Amino acid sequence: MAAPTSNSSIKLGFVEEDTDLRLLSSHFFPSKVGGKPSWLCLDNIPSPENLQCSKCNGPTLLLVQVYAPVEIENRDDTFHRTVFIFACPNATCCTYGYNGNFRVLRSQLPVKNDFYSKDPPNESIGDNEDMDKYPHAGKFQTLCVVCGVKGTKKCSQCKKTYYCSKSHQVADWKAGHKKVCPEIRDDDTKKGAQQPSCNLLFKEFELVTEDEELKKGDSSSDNSRSEEERLAEYQQLMQSQRLQGPEGKFTEEELETTAVHETEDDQQFLKFKKRIEPEPDQVLRYCRGGEPLWISAYHKASAEEIPNCSCGAGRVFEFQVMPQLLNYLNLDRLGNSLDWGTLCVYTCKDSCAIGNKYTEEFLWKQDFQSER
């Protein structure tokens, strides 16, 4: 993903399904969906306790990371900059109007830092190339073999395989570590499994971007539509799987009544739908300092509801994750209740200096209206 800029233009993010996943490691400063985190700062990774779901206290998994450098006058510590979103995989923690099942982190580094060369990485990788030669967080601390966050617990038998939590240790044990543990224990050359043997992660993809291009005269306003046009568009809207009623059907009378008595929320959703129509596969919209594209007229974030950064500065909108991303995630074992209308990330307006550390930022989850 090309680095977004901090101007008012909007970058659209799309899932790239054919990328060599080796190019999504830390050394290449990727933007991506799922998999293990490709940490930017390779030291001082947050402890598992700082990445717990606020509802179940269980571990969260990487959902999205966005490589997003910003230019700030008289500073160079934002030359590299990545924002991470972690999500709890427990579907019961994903409830209407609640955002405590998500965690957001920011990391940034100057061009001259403790981990990477100042020269751009060479993306030509040989088929049998040893990826361990590149900088990665595993060279600086132990990592959970399942999810890639800091591993503070280790297998009591082989003493070489690390985990972030008991739940990931149990899952890995059941998925195959029980069988290989004695072999790892007795072989001094082995450091434990290098890949997760249990499939808990969100499916991994690269994120690529392009500028949003609006057609001349395109407008978010929809006041000129006739009742017939409203009805036709609303019928199409109601055919969406996400918005169907209990029986999956609506009568003509119900549709006509809804179209005539169109609510503010209906108008907002149609505005959302019209804006993304030219690029319906977009999974991310980036516009630091801009405004989100709200999916509903309800539960929008007000300025008073966005907390200041820990440094005391206010936060600005940076990017949003779109509901289309749900179509790409590996949700078979997570349950279909993991859901959102849009996830809006707000970060420190000053992108305050944090050194070789991670700092928490803020996420606002807007859901589809429950009565839809």
Side-chain angles (χ1 to χ4, degrees), residues 273-284:
K273 184 172 177 288
K274 184 176 181 181
R275 185 64 178 265
I276 69 171
E277 193 171 41
E279 298 288 355
D281 295 329
Q282 60 186 272
V283 300
L284 184 138

Side-chain angles (χ1 to χ4, degrees), residues 252-267:
E252 288 294 320
E253 182 179 356
E254 288 172 330
L255 288 169
E256 290 174 3
T257 300
T258 305
V260 172
H261 299 286
E262 187 177 288
T263 68
E264 180 184 359
D265 191 51
D266 300 327
Q267 294 174 7

Side-chain angles (χ1 to χ4, degrees), residues 138 141-145 151 153-163 169 172 177 180-194:
Q141 65 255 289
T142 55
L143 301 178
C144 176
V145 70
K153 304 177 185 299
K154 64 181 176 180
C155 174
S156 61
Q157 296 191 35
C158 71
K159 302 186 186 303
K160 296 178 183 178
T161 307
Y162 287 82
Y163 303 96
Q169 182 174 4
D172 191 49
H177 183 69
V180 301
C181 185
E183 181 182 349
I184 295 172
R185 179 193 61 207
D186 297 336
D187 190 337
D188 291 338
T189 66
K190 291 190 176 182
K191 299 179 181 179
Q194 297 302 306

Side-chain angles (χ1 to χ4, degrees), residues 26 37-51 84 86 105 107 115-116 136-144 147-152 164 356-359:
S26 296
S38 295
W39 299 107
L40 180 61
C41 176
L42 302 182
D43 203 357
N44 297 317
I45 290 174
S47 67
E49 290 75 18
N50 291 328
L51 286 172
F84 302 79
F86 293 82
L105 299 177
S107 175
F115 313 109
Y116 308 101
H136 62 84
K139 292 185 176 182
F140 293 83
Q141 65 255 289
T142 55
L143 301 178
C144 176
C147 68
V149 308
K150 182 176 287 187
T152 57
C164 67
N356 289 351
K357 294 182 180 179
Y358 287 77
T359 191

Side-chain angles (χ1 to χ4, degrees), residues 27-29 67 79-80 111 116-123 134:
H27 173 70
F28 300 101
F29 310 112
Y67 180 68
F79 183 87
H80 296 298
V111 62
Y116 308 101
S117 167
K118 60 181 177 58
D119 299 320
N122 182 358
E123 296 188 359
Y134 294 113

Side-chain angles (χ1 to χ4, degrees), residues 34-315:
K36 294 180 180 181
S38 295
W39 299 107
L40 180 61
C41 176
L42 302 182
D43 203 357
N44 297 317
I45 290 174
S47 67
E49 290 75 18
N50 291 328
L51 286 172
Q52 286 180 339
C53 171
S54 296
K55 178 169 283 191
C56 71
N57 294 325
T60 56
L61 303 175
L62 178 72
L63 179 67
V64 171
Q65 65 179 78
V66 177
Y67 180 68
V70 296
E71 294 183 6
I72 301 177
E73 189 175 0
N74 298 323
R75 286 176 54 190
D76 72 344
D77 63 315
T78 57
F79 183 87
H80 296 298
R81 182 174 174 276
T82 299
V83 179
F84 302 79
I85 302 178
F86 293 82
C88 177
N90 187 349
T92 60
C93 294
C94 188
T95 57
Y96 184 82
Y98 179 74
N99 67 353
N101 56 324
F102 295 93
R103 306 299 291 266
V104 180
L105 299 177
R106 167 171 55 93
S107 175
Q108 59 196 45
L109 296 170
V111 62
K112 184 178 180 181
N113 58 74
D114 295 335
F115 313 109
Y116 308 101
S117 167
K118 60 181 177 58
D119 299 320
N122 182 358
E123 296 188 359
S124 298
I125 301 178
D127 291 340
N128 298 316
E129 191 156 353
D130 179 14
M131 298 302 294
D132 194 54
K133 71 180 183 181
Y134 294 113
H136 62 84
K139 292 185 176 182
F140 293 83
Q141 65 255 289
T142 55
L143 301 178
C144 176
V145 70
V146 173
C147 68
V149 308
K150 182 176 287 187
T152 57
K153 304 177 185 299
K154 64 181 176 180
C155 174
S156 61
Q157 296 191 35
C158 71
K159 302 186 186 303
K160 296 178 183 178
T161 307
Y162 287 82
Y163 303 96
C164 67
S165 61
K166 183 177 180 180
S167 62
H168 281 185
Q169 182 174 4
V170 170
D172 191 49
W173 182 262
K174 292 179 178 179
H177 183 69
K178 178 180 180 180
K179 182 178 180 180
V180 301
C181 185
E183 181 182 349
I184 295 172
R185 179 193 61 207
D186 297 336
D187 190 337
D188 291 338
T189 66
K190 291 190 176 182
K191 299 179 181 179
Q194 297 302 306
Q195 297 293 331
S197 55
C198 49
N199 182 26
L200 292 181
L201 304 179
F202 296 113
K203 193 171 181 180
E204 188 173 22
F205 301 99
E206 183 183 12
L207 274 177
V208 296
T209 60
E210 62 183 47
D211 291 329
E212 182 181 44
E213 295 183 5
L214 295 178
K215 296 179 181 179
K216 187 176 181 180
D218 196 5
S219 171
S220 59
S221 174
D222 217 17
N223 296 329
S224 61
R225 294 176 302 146
S226 67
E227 286 191 5
E228 290 77 12
E229 289 172 326
R230 289 184 182 189
L231 177 58
E233 189 163 6
Y234 212 79
Q235 286 174 321
Q236 183 180 2
L237 181 154
M238 287 293 122
Q239 290 173 3
S240 168
Q241 180 179 0
R242 193 178 301 281
L243 303 179
Q244 287 194 9
E247 304 298 326
K249 299 178 181 179
F250 294 89
T251 66
E252 288 294 320
E253 182 179 356
E254 288 172 330
L255 288 169
E256 290 174 3
T257 300
T258 305
V260 172
H261 299 286
E262 187 177 288
T263 68
E264 180 184 359
D265 191 51
D266 300 327
Q267 294 174 7
Q268 180 64 46
F269 182 79
L270 291 173
K271 176 182 176 181
F272 176 92
K273 184 172 177 288
K274 184 176 181 181
R275 185 64 178 265
I276 69 171
E277 193 171 41
E279 298 288 355
D281 295 329
Q282 60 186 272
V283 300
L284 184 138
R285 295 174 65 86
Y286 186 98
C287 186
R288 180 171 164 81
E291 293 292 333
L293 178 61
W294 298 111
I295 200 167
S296 171
Y298 300 99
H299 199 53
K300 295 180 180 179
S302 66
E304 295 75 20
E305 291 172 301
I306 306 301
N308 287 345
C309 176
S310 58
C311 74
R315 285 190 169 101

